[in-house]
Amino acid sequence: MAITGLILIAFLVMHMFGNLKMFIGAEAYNHYAEWLKGALESGGILEPLLPHGWFIWIFRAFMLACLILHIYCAAKVWAASLRGRGSRYVSVTRREQTVSARLMRWGGIALALLLIFHILMFTTKTIRPGFEASDDPYSMFVGAFGNWWVLAAYIVFMLVVCLHVRHGFWSAFTTLGGNVSPQARTILNALAYFVAALIFVGFMLPPVAVFLNLGVN
Amino acid sequence: MRIKLRIWRQAGPDAPGAMQTYQLDNVSEKMSFLEMLDMLNEQLTAQDIEPVAFDHDCREGICGMCGVVIDGSAHGRYNSAVPTTTCQLHMRSFADGAVIDVEPWRAGAFPVIKDLVVDRKAFDRVIQAGGYISVNTGSAPDAHATPAPKRQSEKAFDNATCIGCGACVAACPNGSGMLFTSAKITHLAMLPQGQPERALRVKAMVAAHDAAGFGGCTNIGECASVCPKQIPLASIGQLNRDLIASLFKGDGK
């Protein structure tokens, strides 16, 4: 669960980096998207090591496998918790539990649902608010985030993601044996806040810029 | 002091339980929480009501026998700066006229025996699985016969102070006994005498922990914050480190 979680966080950081290419301009952004899919005339990522267009499917299969393993482990831990905690307390006061730790499980479910919505919108293009299926990635981006409700839904999506990353980042390193002193605990927690904040800001900048018509050509 | 108590009453392991309210007058703020319960029980006995069953022994915070959840916090630590056992909690920590909720440890692995008394034999099963070192009995070796590095021996001692009260399990939203298990793992892993069985021990104790019905650790930190002996969350980190290392060793399965 820790390993798949960290892989998913690494993916998020790369995804965020890709989104920020929007600020360089439509051409750079579209070129990057086509390069990932191996849809360029000159080839794409990892060509000629892999045949044309293979990388994206191998990558998608790998991410899906990570996601399924992550959810499977979470379900096992959840089942053990339901058994382990026994009957509920009449009154409960928590001293340490953070909001992010508290929302790990329900937040994880919300995250999975929002992710499906995200893929239906920008990958399969089944839901098309403000853009056409034939649009290039940049026009799709600009079209979608011109709608206030898409932006609002995206803010919720990113808040859920970052809360999950906040506890997940610290928890993953602890599970892997990183927390062996009070100092390590402070550092890992601080890093978790930093990574969560970085991901939130990095993902929110492009849509907000589109919505407010700032720096978008 | 005049207080109102809401106490979990349960006649037996399979009987249904419920919170019962009792009014208690003339409580001295110098009383410990358990002395206050003694006072309540004397009054209940005089009224021909079954007294409240609760576990206790040394009453000086070193045996690990006592422990109830007070106002939703294990050992009633709540927001106090000082870690405590129930017996070392004094009535001066409560306001006059307070309504105090008293519940037993609640965890799948700790079934209620009666009222506030729970069965903590699950901890014994975890210790039996590996919380020891195998040595020949006989005359005790000289204390300095095997050198132990200062830093490690200090850490071993800090972890050996665990009294096995079960507050960590009671406070854990997952009902996990990882802090207890990791205190013993860290204690023995830091000392030269613990090395021969180190990999075997961590595998066996974690397996026994899971088999005893405890939940899994999700690194929330509630356990360490209510621990009367201040076993740190870092001990669970040490257990995780040892468990991962043990996967690359042939000992056990």
Side-chain angles (χ1 to χ4, degrees), chain A residues 56-75:
Chain A
I56 189 74
W57 285 104
I58 293 171
F59 186 73
R60 280 171 179 167
F62 173 71
M63 290 317 294
L64 190 64
C66 283
L67 207 59
I68 289 170
L69 260 175
H70 193 73
I71 293 169
Y72 169 74
C73 294

Side-chain angles (χ1 to χ4, degrees), chain A residues 89, chain B residues 66-69 74-75 103-107 110 112 118 120 165-167 170:
Chain A
Y89 284 106
Chain B
C66 69
V68 290
V69 172
H75 287 307
E103 293 178 71
W105 289 167
R106 290 192 198 276
F110 289 167
V112 172
V118 298
R120 286 172 287 189
C165 63

Side-chain angles (χ1 to χ4, degrees), chain A residues 2-20:
Chain A
I3 294 168
T4 50
L6 289 177
I7 292 171
L8 292 168
I9 292 176
F11 166 74
L12 275 179
V13 174
M14 280 312 294
H15 189 331
M16 178 192 86
F17 184 67
N19 285 8
L20 288 173

Side-chain angles (χ1 to χ4, degrees), chain B residues 173-220:
Chain B
N174 300 313
S176 174
M178 262 305 138
L179 194 70
F180 169 80
T181 309
S182 72
K184 193 49 63 189
I185 292 288
T186 308
H187 163 207
L188 296 175
M190 291 298 117
L191 295 173
Q193 292 86 345
Q195 300 313 310
E197 292 157 304
R198 187 169 177 174
L200 196 60
R201 177 182 306 115
V202 67
K203 280 180 190 166
M205 286 184 76
V206 170
H209 167 278
D210 292 350
F214 292 109
C217 177
T218 57
N219 308 310
I220 294 168

Side-chain angles (χ1 to χ4, degrees), chain B residues 68-146:
Chain B
V68 290
V69 172
I70 302 161
D71 284 339
S73 185
H75 287 307
R77 176 159 185 197
Y78 191 45
N79 53 11
S80 158
V82 189
T84 184
T85 54
T86 304
C87 62
Q88 292 295 301
L89 181 73
H90 289 78
M91 294 315 292
R92 57 176 172 266
S93 306
F94 300 91
D96 192 16
V99 180
I100 306 170
D101 284 353
V102 190
E103 293 178 71
W105 289 167
R106 290 192 198 276
F110 289 167
V112 172
I113 297 172
K114 189 180 180 182
D115 296 340
L116 305 174
V117 180
V118 298
D119 179 356
R120 286 172 287 189
K121 282 205 280 289
F123 269 1
D124 297 340
R125 290 193 282 277
V126 174
I127 291 295
Q128 282 160 5
Y132 52 79
I133 55 165
S134 303
V135 288
N136 291 329
T137 53
S139 58
D142 286 340
H144 62 305
T146 312

Side-chain angles (χ1 to χ4, degrees), chain A residues 5-201:
Chain A
L6 289 177
I7 292 171
L8 292 168
I9 292 176
F11 166 74
L12 275 179
V13 174
M14 280 312 294
H15 189 331
M16 178 192 86
F17 184 67
N19 285 8
L20 288 173
K21 285 197 189 299
M22 192 210 77
F23 288 110
I24 308 175
E27 205 177 316
Y29 186 80
N30 288 338
H31 183 271
Y32 175 69
E34 302 297 316
W35 177 73
L36 281 179
K37 287 187 229 158
L40 291 174
E41 286 292 318
S42 58
I45 186 168
L46 283 186
E47 240 180 280
L49 187 64
L50 286 174
H52 204 70
W54 275 39
F55 169 80
I56 189 74
W57 285 104
I58 293 171
F59 186 73
R60 280 171 179 167
F62 173 71
M63 290 317 294
L64 190 64
C66 283
L67 207 59
I68 289 170
L69 260 175
H70 193 73
I71 293 169
Y72 169 74
C73 294
K76 274 186 82 169
V77 176
W78 198 343
S81 295
L82 291 178
R83 191 169 45 97
R85 75 181 178 202
S87 56
R88 309 305 297 267
Y89 284 106
V90 175
S91 57
V92 180
T93 46
R94 299 278 182 227
R95 285 171 48 81
E96 289 278 317
Q97 191 176 43
T98 53
V99 177
S100 54
R102 193 190 188 108
L103 292 175
M104 265 336 241
R105 286 169 187 157
W106 294 109
I109 290 174
L111 189 51
L113 296 175
L114 287 164
L115 181 65
I116 292 171
F117 184 69
H118 186 67
I119 288 172
L120 283 178
M121 204 156 144
F122 292 119
T123 309
T124 64
K125 302 176 190 176
T126 316
I127 306 166
R128 296 182 296 270
F131 62 86
E132 297 302 318
S134 54
D135 281 353
D136 61 53
Y138 187 84
S139 319
M140 191 164 76
F141 196 93
V142 173
F145 286 108
N147 297 308
W148 68 267
W149 68 268
V150 177
L151 183 71
Y154 199 72
I155 292 173
V156 174
F157 184 30
M158 281 307 121
L159 278 175
V160 174
V161 167
C162 293
L163 278 172
H164 205 76
V165 167
R166 211 308 292 165
H167 184 75
F169 186 91
W170 133 260
S171 190
F173 279 102
T174 303
T175 299
L176 294 174
N179 174 37
V180 283
S181 68
Q183 294 90 321
R185 188 180 178 184
T186 311
I187 293 169
L188 285 177
N189 267 312
L191 276 175
Y193 277 106
F194 174 74
V195 172
L198 178 80
I199 289 177
F200 186 78
V201 172

